[in-house]
Amino acid sequence: MTRTDIILLAVAANVAVMTLVRLMKTRRDALVADVQRQVDARRKRGRAAGDGAGKNRDAA
């Protein structure tokens, strides 16, 4: 391998890693937003049902 091949390989690897990191970050942000929406919806349902009085009592 020549010096040019090594430089091209390093640049391509860098681009590939940076692209993968961006895709993973976008996916993580979407998942976090989805979970946050679910948590907010669950909290709203709990409040609308009268704060769940008597619903979540401990067995002991």
Side-chain angles (χ1 to χ4, degrees), residues 36-47:
Q36 188 62 46
R37 279 191 299 269
Q38 291 177 11
V39 167
D40 291 342
R42 172 88 40 126
R43 285 182 180 161
K44 279 185 180 180
R45 276 186 278 155
R47 288 183 186 144

Side-chain angles (χ1 to χ4, degrees), residues 8-54:
L8 285 174
L9 181 62
V11 169
N14 190 23
V15 169
V17 168
M18 293 303 293
T19 302
L20 181 61
V21 167
R22 286 183 185 143
L23 287 171
M24 291 171 62
K25 183 180 177 194
T26 302
R27 176 70 174 152
R28 183 200 63 198
D29 292 343
L31 286 174
V32 167
D34 185 42
V35 169
Q36 188 62 46
R37 279 191 299 269
Q38 291 177 11
V39 167
D40 291 342
R42 172 88 40 126
R43 285 182 180 161
K44 279 185 180 180
R45 276 186 278 155
R47 288 183 186 144
D51 292 325

